[in-house]
């Protein structure tokens, strides 16, 4: 196998007596779309939190692009090419859609202090931001305040902000959460378009989306990764079926 | 050619400010120049606080600390200039001075340094703890100056004279007024520019969602600390001007009521608006002036007014006005 | 050694008074998420009403019995008229609005009772001294404060931890909607908690009467240390408020009693009155900064 872009090994995190993550590990190759599934409380969100740097693991390590980033602060991770989107839509409501993405570009450019120029007239920020908005299909909505955008559009905006930081790996925490069928399909199509270009670590409850997008899937249960494989392998895996998919035949929400 | 109402109001305000000493002279209201100077100085303090409160969402309840520190810096330097004793003999001799060109930037530097220390500790917390720890630092400095017998302690310290500023005579009310006005205009221009530059946008992003900003890769604590330091320095300059205006400083410059006043000025005017603090300061003092002529117990009216303003005029007066005016643009 | 014992008792007594205020503050903060700067005003109102009532009836106890419900009523009125509308607002709005209330109350008290300070005489049976150790007298009234304060602390602990009302309060604190769904009348609960806090503040105010001056502005002199207590203890925690109050009370009292002497011994008498006194009055704020550097959420963080 090629050198993985991200590898997690033995990640453990507990809150008091509750062990949310218990020695979880997985590897993602450059450009790979990788989904993590599992019932509620399996430790998926904790895992994402640790990779993003918001939670500090009790033990285990995280390697990204050959570098140990286990203890690297959140704000230093995007510069390495590690970006995340949030489960709860987390845009800047008072700013326009374009302002939102321009902030992400600005973060990527670094250096907030030197410039006296009006940042809203700054082509170095605006042009790449607009390109990202167009890529997610929001080009025509650039000047609309983010709070006015529909829920689905806000999720698209999230994605544009993530793309603006030129990531090599995107952490997607339930990208289709709370979306209708149509919005959901549009988001899946957008994400599918990124495959091969950007690696994705995806946590998702919508199994249709997972099987449509992921090249490989890891199943979490009780804070551990109990199986990893292609969608076909996961469908066929007896352990997974018994532990998770098989219980009542439907995906748990 | 038509001028948009928003601009028209600003130009009218500026014209009035420029003409005020002349008007006051003609109308025989010479004391008005002093009042206007005082209003402008508090507006400057408001502009400083607004930078972190309005644009950065940091509720500091201790900004009077910087106001007082700035004022005391000027007063203590002037005191040593009068007595001829050195302020410090180690590591090198530092004497007193009354030169504005030395004392005022020094006041700002002292406040910037204090803000760096206070900010570095306070910004580790958030929410109520931040409000209280900034208040605690202001109280510390308040009691420090109360016990500082060398410089008057509780009784305060009188300045023998206002600062000297080259060809300007700051004892002339109009000249002092114009100097303060120029400084306020400069501060407004800087705020207007800054709030739209990368730094200002980053600060506003942090105010609205700090967690998201960190996830985007912003070093949010450093940005907030930088704003806190600049804010402290501006408020310190306001304090230095106030020491010159009243020719007297006392620990009450650092009292928590003063911190509350500056907060009220910013919020009354309109949080995170460039001109809000000026409007807030004008309204605050006109109210004080009007109410205190009516009754010596003017606070009993002012207090409930403040409550009503918070409950029903959330955007502040300039915030409301700017919105109305923009609609006609 | 005996001096130290006496000062420690003084510190505990100040701590107990601070606790009575901090308990109300921290309950209101933890449950309603409201920063109430005007809490000190209720302390002041309690003291003034007690001073008048005691003078009028000639009895300290009657003064106390009149002041407590009266202050609770004032507190409830303030909650219903003004503060109720602030629960959903941010801390900044709450700070400003309650700052406005302080201005109002200080001026109102000055108008009603005049600018001069009042004093309350302690009841005669508490005006003497008690020998706490053979040959060591200590004012009985201060001991009584200590006893009452500790009893109130015990009562509050019992109320919050063991009773149905306490369970309701805790349910309301952890989840508003949930409590509402369980059929708890949140509005009435809040008003009740506020009245309780007001009564505790007034109790502190009445007990302060014989020791400190009863005057306009007295509320803020104790309010700010009480907030220091709340922040040190951890917002919303009664246990934290008690621990913080004792810490702050002792640090403040011992600091004032001994720091000037200690500094003077090293640096001479001039430094004792200057640096020593300055450090002593800054002690509690330095303590708070130190605690927050060590534990940014206070000693006993209440939630998560």
């Amino acid at each position: 196998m090629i050198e993985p872009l991200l590898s997690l090994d033995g990640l453990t995190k507990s809150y008091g007596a509750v062990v949310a993550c218990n020695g979880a590990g997985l590897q993602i190759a450059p450009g790979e779309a990788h989904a993590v599934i599992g019932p509620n409380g399996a430790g998926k969100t904790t895992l994402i939190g640790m990779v993003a740097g918001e939670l500090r693991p009790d033990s285990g390590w995280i390697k990204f692009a050959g570098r140990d980033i286990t203890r690297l602060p959140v704000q230093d991770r995007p510069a390495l090419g590690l970006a995340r989107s949030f489960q709860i839509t987390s845009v800047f409501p008072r700013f326009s859609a374009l302002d939102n993405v321009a902030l992400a570009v600005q973060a990527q450019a670094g250096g907030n202090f030197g410039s006296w120029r009006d940042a809203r007239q700054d082509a170095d920020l605006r042009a790449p931001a607009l390109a990202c908005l167009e890529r997610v299909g929001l080009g025509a909505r650039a000047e609309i305040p983010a709070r006015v955008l529909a829920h689905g559009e806000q999720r698209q905006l999230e994605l544009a902000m993530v793309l603006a930081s030129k990531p090599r790996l995107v952490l997607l925490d339930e990208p289709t959460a709370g979306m209708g069928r149509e919005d959901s399909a549009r988001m899946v199509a957008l994400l599918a378009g990124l495959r091969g270009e950007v690696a994705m670590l995806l946590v998702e409850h919508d199994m249709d989306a997972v099987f449509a997008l992921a090249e490989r899937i890891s199943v979490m249960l009780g804070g551990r990764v109990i199986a990893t494989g292609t969608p076909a392998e996961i469908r066929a895996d007896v352990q997974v079926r018994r532990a998770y998919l098989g219980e009542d035949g439907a995906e748990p929400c | 050619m038509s001028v948009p109402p928003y601009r028209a109001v600003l130009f009218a305000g500026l014209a009035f400010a420029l003409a005020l000493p002349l008007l006051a002279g003609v109308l025989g209201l010479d004391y008005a120049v002093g009042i206007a100077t005082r209003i402008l100085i508090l507006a400057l303090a408001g502009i400083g606080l607004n930078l972190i409160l309005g644009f950065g969402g940091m509720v500091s309840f201790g900004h009077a600390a910087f106001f007082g520190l700035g004022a005391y810096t000027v007063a203590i330097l002037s005191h040593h200039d009068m007595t001829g004793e050195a302020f410090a003999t180690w590591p090198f001799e530092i004497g007193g001075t009354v030169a504005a060109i030395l004392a005022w930037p020094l006041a700002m530097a002292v406040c910037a340094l204090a803000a760096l220390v206070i900010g570095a500790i306070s910004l580790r917390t958030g929410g109520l703890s931040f409000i209280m720890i900034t208040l605690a630092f202001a109280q510390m400095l308040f009691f420090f100056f109360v016990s500082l017998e060398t410089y008057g302690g509780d009784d305060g310290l009188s300045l023998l004279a206002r600062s000297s500023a080259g060809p300007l005579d700051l004892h002339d009310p109009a000249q002092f007024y114009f100097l303060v006005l120029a400084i306020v205009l400069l501060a407004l221009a800087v705020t207007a520019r800054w709030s739209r530059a990368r730094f200002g946008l980053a600060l506003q992003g942090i105010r609205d969602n700090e967690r998201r900003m960190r996830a985007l890769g912003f070093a949010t604590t450093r940005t907030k600390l930088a704003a806190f330091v600049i804010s402290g320095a501006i408020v310190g300059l306001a304090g230095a001007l106030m020491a010159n205006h009243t020719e007297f400083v006392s620990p009450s410059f650092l009292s928590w009521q003063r911190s509350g006043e500056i907060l009220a000025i910013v919020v009354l005017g309109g949080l995170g608006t460039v001109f809000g603090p000026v409007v807030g300061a004008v309204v605050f003092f006109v109210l004080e002036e009007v109410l205190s002529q009516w009754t010596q117990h003017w606070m009993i009216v002012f207090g409930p007014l403040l409550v009503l303003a918070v409950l029903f005029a959330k955007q502040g007066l300039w915030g409301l006005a700017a919105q109305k005016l923009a609609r006609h643009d | 050694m005996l001096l130290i014992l006496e000062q420690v008792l003084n510190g505990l007594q100040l701590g107990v008074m601070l606790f009575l205020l901090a308990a109300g503050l921290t309950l209101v903060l933890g449950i309603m998420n409201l920063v109430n700067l005007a809490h000190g005003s209720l302390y002041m109102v309690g003291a003034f009403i007690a001073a008048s009532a005691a003078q009028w009836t000639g009895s300290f106890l009657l003064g106390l019995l009149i002041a407590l419900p009266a202050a609770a009523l004032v507190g409830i009125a303030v909650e219903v008229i003004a503060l109720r509308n602030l629960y959903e607002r941010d801390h900044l709005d709450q700070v400003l609005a309650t700052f406005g209330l302080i201005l109002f109350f200080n001026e109102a008290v000055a108008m009603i009772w005049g600018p001069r300070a009042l004093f309350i005489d302690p009841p005669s049976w508490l005006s003497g001294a008690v020998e706490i150790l053979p040959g060591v007298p200590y004012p009985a009234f201060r001991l009584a404060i200590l006893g009452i304060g500790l009893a109130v602390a015990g009562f509050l602990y019992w109320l919050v931890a063991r009773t149905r009302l306490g369970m309701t309060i805790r349910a309301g604190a952890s989840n508003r909607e949930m409590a509402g769904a369980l059929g708890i009348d949140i509005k009435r609960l809040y008003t009740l908690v506020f009245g309780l806090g007001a009564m505790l503040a007034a109790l502190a105010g009445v007990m302060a009467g014989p020791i400190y001056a009863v005057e306009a502005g007295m509320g803020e002199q104790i309010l700010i240390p009480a907030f220091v207590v709340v922040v040190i203890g951890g917002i919303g925690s009664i246990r934290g408020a008690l621990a913080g109050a004792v810490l702050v009370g002792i640090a403040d009292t011992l600091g004032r009693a001994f720091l000037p002497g200690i500094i003077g011994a090293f640096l001479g008498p001039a430094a004792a009155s200057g640096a020593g006194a300055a450090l002593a009055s800054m002690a509690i704020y330095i303590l708070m900064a130190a605690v927050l550097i060590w534990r940014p959420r206070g000693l006993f963080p209440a939630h998560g």
Side-chain angles (χ1 to χ4, degrees), chain A residues 54 74-75 78 84 86 90 92 94-95 103-104 106-107 112-113 115-120 122 125 158 161, chain B residues 190 193-194 196-199 201-202 204-205 207-209 211-219 222-223 226:
Chain A
E54 296 207 322
V74 186
Q75 65 266 24
R84 78 166 297 187
F86 285 80
S90 189
F92 300 95
R94 302 196 227 188
F95 286 167
L103 264 182
Q106 185 183 327
N112 306 318
F113 297 112
S115 171
W116 282 79
R117 291 171 61 190
D118 187 337
R120 289 195 174 90
D122 189 340
L125 299 176
E158 272 275 357
M161 291 165 76
Chain B
V190 169
R193 198 70 202 161
W194 236 339
R196 300 175 63 85
R198 292 186 181 201
F199 176 71
L201 289 185
Q204 290 168 68
R207 171 192 67 196
D208 291 347
N209 193 341
R211 181 171 173 225
R212 188 74 180 97
M213 288 296 276
R214 263 203 307 271
L216 284 178
F218 282 97
R222 214 170 52 196
T223 307

Side-chain angles (χ1 to χ4, degrees), chain C residues 52-148:
Chain C
S52 284
Q55 207 169 39
W56 183 55
T57 61
S59 155
F60 178 87
L61 272 186
L62 276 179
L64 179 70
L65 287 178
I66 293 170
L68 292 190
L73 282 181
V74 173
I76 287 171
V78 168
E79 198 267 348
V80 170
I81 294 169
L83 299 183
R84 183 170 281 185
N85 304 305
L86 288 169
Y87 294 146
E88 303 292 319
R89 298 296 194 86
D90 55 25
H91 285 326
L92 174 60
D93 285 358
Q94 299 172 349
V95 163
L96 259 187
T98 53
F99 178 64
L101 286 177
I102 291 184
L103 301 181
F104 170 79
F105 273 110
N106 281 344
E107 205 63 57
V109 161
M111 278 172 81
I112 298 172
W113 279 280
R116 266 192 304 161
L118 305 179
F119 288 92
I120 308 178
D121 289 326
S124 54
W125 44 276
L126 280 178
S127 58
V130 176
E131 272 194 23
I132 40 174
L133 283 176
V136 185
Y138 191 77
F141 185 74
R142 285 178 182 254
L143 274 184
I145 293 181
L146 227 124
I148 293 173

Side-chain angles (χ1 to χ4, degrees), chain A residues 44-240:
Chain A
K44 305 183 300 281
T45 298
T46 306
L47 189 77
I48 288 262
M50 288 191 287
V51 178
E54 296 207 322
L55 299 172
R56 178 149 299 179
D58 300 333
S59 62
W61 46 259
I62 303 168
K63 253 187 170 170
F64 183 74
R67 183 174 160 185
D68 183 356
I69 60 162
T70 315
R71 305 200 167 274
L72 194 70
V74 186
Q75 65 266 24
D76 294 340
R77 295 185 190 213
L80 301 179
L82 181 61
R84 78 166 297 187
S85 82
F86 285 80
Q87 183 175 349
I88 298 163
T89 305
S90 189
V91 295
F92 300 95
R94 302 196 227 188
F95 286 167
S96 74
L98 188 57
D99 287 344
N100 269 275
V101 187
L103 264 182
V105 177
Q106 185 183 327
Q108 179 68 14
N112 306 318
F113 297 112
S115 171
W116 282 79
R117 291 171 61 190
D118 187 337
R120 289 195 174 90
Q121 310 288 334
D122 189 340
D124 293 347
L125 299 176
R126 300 312 253 192
L130 193 59
C132 291
L133 272 185
E134 275 160 0
R135 173 127 200 217
V136 301
L138 283 179
R141 309 278 279 162
E143 297 303 329
I144 310 280
R147 75 181 120 81
V148 187
L149 294 176
H151 176 72
E153 289 178 322
Q154 291 188 352
R155 305 294 315 205
Q156 286 164 261
L157 177 56
E158 272 275 357
L159 187 61
M161 291 165 76
V162 167
L163 292 179
S165 61
K166 296 188 202 143
R168 299 169 68 187
L169 173 72
V170 181
L171 306 174
L172 295 159
D173 197 354
E174 300 203 28
T176 67
M179 282 189 177
R181 187 178 296 266
E182 208 175 302
D183 284 344
S184 191
R186 186 180 311 134
M187 179 58 79
V188 169
L190 276 174
L191 292 175
L194 297 176
R195 264 195 315 208
E197 176 188 346
V198 183
M200 286 180 256
L201 174 58
L202 171 80
V203 166
E204 182 58 72
H205 277 154
D206 179 351
M207 287 302 134
D208 292 340
V210 166
F211 285 103
L213 277 174
E215 292 157 292
R216 292 203 309 145
I217 298 174
S218 290
V219 183
M220 281 190 83
L221 190 68
R224 292 173 184 279
V225 176
I226 58 165
T228 296
T230 64
E233 286 164 0
I234 292 299
R235 271 187 219 274
D237 190 305
V238 179
Q239 200 190 356
V240 174

Side-chain angles (χ1 to χ4, degrees), chain C residues 9-10 25 82 151:
Chain C
L9 278 175
N10 282 344
L25 277 179

Side-chain angles (χ1 to χ4, degrees), chain B residues 11 35 39 56 62 75 80 84 89 91 115 118 128-129 139 160 206 220 295 302 315:
Chain B
F11 280 125
I35 294 178
I39 291 176
H80 282 281
T89 50
I118 293 176
L128 178 71
S129 296
Q139 289 290 99
L160 199 65
I206 291 169
T220 55
T295 162
F302 184 77
Q315 296 159 289

